[in-house]
Amino acid sequence: MKKIILSIAFLSINLASYSDEKNPGNNVNFERLYVLGDSLSDTGASTGSITKYRNNCDDKDLNPFILNLLNLGFLADICSKLPEKISFASPAHMGRSFTNGKVAAEVLAEKMNLELSPAWKVNDLSLFGFVNFKGSSQLGTNYAISGAKAAIGNDMADTLFLNNFTLNQQVSALIAGKGNRDMRNDLFLIMIGANDIISATFNSNNLIIDNAVFEIEKSLISLYNEGARNFIITNVPNIASLPLIKADLKHRAEHLSIDYNFKLNAKITDFKINHSDANIIYIDLYKLFDNLKQDYSHNGIDFSTPCTSNISDTMINNVDFSLLLNIINSGKLPFEYINGCSAQTINNHFFFDSVHPSSWGHEKLGNKMYELLLENRSKE
């Protein structure tokens, strides 16, 4: 059994050697990079799948009097009112990511000289039983989607929509779309869990943590059984450090972050013991964030103040129907500069908004992941 190597920043297990004649510029010799996760890695699955939902809209002919009695008059003839496309407003990168530049997964993919394309498979959706949206699918390599959780959630946003994009749903879509592909030469990045901890923080429910860790373990086993052997898995940073988390909840958020990371690390260690040919790089985001803060705070990087305000401020744990209606009417998810920020100063802030890093933070993380891949290759 290969030796498990621990460091302050990561748990790494030597990667097996592979050749890749199709991609000679790929220094770490993987044929594909698959990504599973949430808004930290989303490169268009959320805007793409929602746009497809819009194109597959079917509203029922309901009596206006009944709709008004239900205070749901906005549902009348809603399909004809929907915009043709849903996108994020500036400064969101390319109208589809919760940051102002490439997400870390994109940075990693480019350094590996691999394509990263948004993918999804979503089920039919019903809005209060009055408006129906037919599901859709798209093949690709990046199944990460904004708002996704590792486990099924009980928040209203989960019930209405987001439970279509849990980690298990993403893994199922990936496996369904791979066909007969041999995935032993592919690399799988799993970066999820922050939304679960945020929900556990607001709802005072520790069971959410156990469910999330269990779902990650289950997903690892499912992928392994389909031939996957090479993984990058991240834990979560200290969720208490997010501007979203107010002072009265910071202690709880920090405790839940530590508990989640401890349990995830234990599960991954057990997985490796039981699957000795699996190769895992474990990225300690908790420690990495602390190191970045220590190294760059004196260089003028603000690690506490968000630079923009958007849907993350109000809907990460609740549903703001007035904001939803605005998005439905305009086709744009609005972003607004706050705290004196501008396009010129945004990368002086670690936080793009109250939850997500700016492109500066994503670049640091993407470079770190690639650095660890190279280190593992050199140890073979």
Side-chain angles (χ1 to χ4, degrees), residues 187-223:
L187 178 65
F188 295 80
L189 169 61
I190 302 176
M191 186 158 58
I192 200 167
N195 290 326
D196 299 86
I197 296 173
I198 291 171
S199 180
T201 299
F202 284 109
N203 294 308
S204 299
N205 186 352
N206 288 28
L207 184 60
I208 292 174
I209 301 302
D210 294 328
N211 291 340
V213 171
F214 172 77
E215 289 297 332
I216 293 174
E217 179 189 34
K218 187 171 74 172
S219 295
L220 274 173
I221 294 172
S222 295
L223 290 169

Side-chain angles (χ1 to χ4, degrees), residues 99-120:
T99 190
N100 58 308
K102 297 171 183 174
V103 298
E106 285 179 283
V107 175
L108 175 62
E110 287 191 359
K111 286 185 171 294
M112 294 175 66
N113 196 28
L114 293 175
E115 178 185 359
L116 194 64
S117 56
W120 66 84

Side-chain angles (χ1 to χ4, degrees), residues 206-279:
N206 288 28
L207 184 60
I208 292 174
I209 301 302
D210 294 328
N211 291 340
V213 171
F214 172 77
E215 289 297 332
I216 293 174
E217 179 189 34
K218 187 171 74 172
S219 295
L220 274 173
I221 294 172
S222 295
L223 290 169
Y224 180 91
N225 289 340
E226 291 292 328
R229 293 295 183 270
N230 305 289
F231 304 91
I232 297 178
I233 302 174
T234 74
N235 65 9
V236 297
N238 184 357
I239 297 302
S241 66
L242 303 184
L244 176 74
I245 306 300
K246 304 308 178 186
D248 60 324
L249 291 176
K250 285 190 179 296
H251 177 74
R252 175 168 179 76
E254 181 174 12
H255 170 76
L256 289 169
S257 301
I258 294 171
D259 185 41
Y260 172 87
N261 288 344
F262 176 82
K263 291 176 177 177
L264 178 63
N265 194 0
K267 286 290 186 183
I268 291 173
T269 301
D270 287 344
F271 176 84
K272 178 56 186 175
I273 291 172
N274 295 321
H275 306 83
S276 59
D277 58 336
N279 309 299

Side-chain angles (χ1 to χ4, degrees), residues 37-54 85-88 92-99 103 117-122 125 136 138 142-148 161-162 164-165 170 311 327 331 333 335 356:
D38 51 31
S39 51
L40 288 176
S41 305
D42 190 347
T43 58
S46 58
T47 53
S49 61
I50 294 172
T51 296
K52 285 289 187 180
Y53 268 138
R54 177 263 172 268
K85 182 179 180 181
I86 301 293
S87 63
F88 296 176
H93 181 58
M94 298 182 68
R96 45 71 163 165
S97 295
F98 279 97
T99 190
V103 298
S117 56
W120 66 84
K121 185 178 186 299
V122 295
L125 179 68
S136 67
Q138 176 169 301
N142 186 2
Y143 289 84
I145 192 162
S146 299
F161 185 61
L162 293 177
N164 283 290
F165 306 110
Q170 293 177 36
I311 197 171
I327 296 171
L333 193 154
F335 288 75
H356 307 95

Side-chain angles (χ1 to χ4, degrees), residues 30-43:
F30 292 107
E31 293 181 10
R32 286 188 185 180
L33 171 65
Y34 285 104
V35 180
L36 303 157
D38 51 31
S39 51
L40 288 176
S41 305
D42 190 347
T43 58

Side-chain angles (χ1 to χ4, degrees), residues 296-308:
Y296 289 96
S297 290
H298 64 278
N299 290 339
I301 300 296
D302 184 330
F303 281 85
S304 60
T305 307
C307 214
T308 70

Side-chain angles (χ1 to χ4, degrees), residues 69 149 172 256 280 287 359 379:
L69 282 178
K149 294 177 179 176
S172 296
L256 289 169
I280 300 176
K287 186 66 177 181
S359 61
K379 294 174 184 176

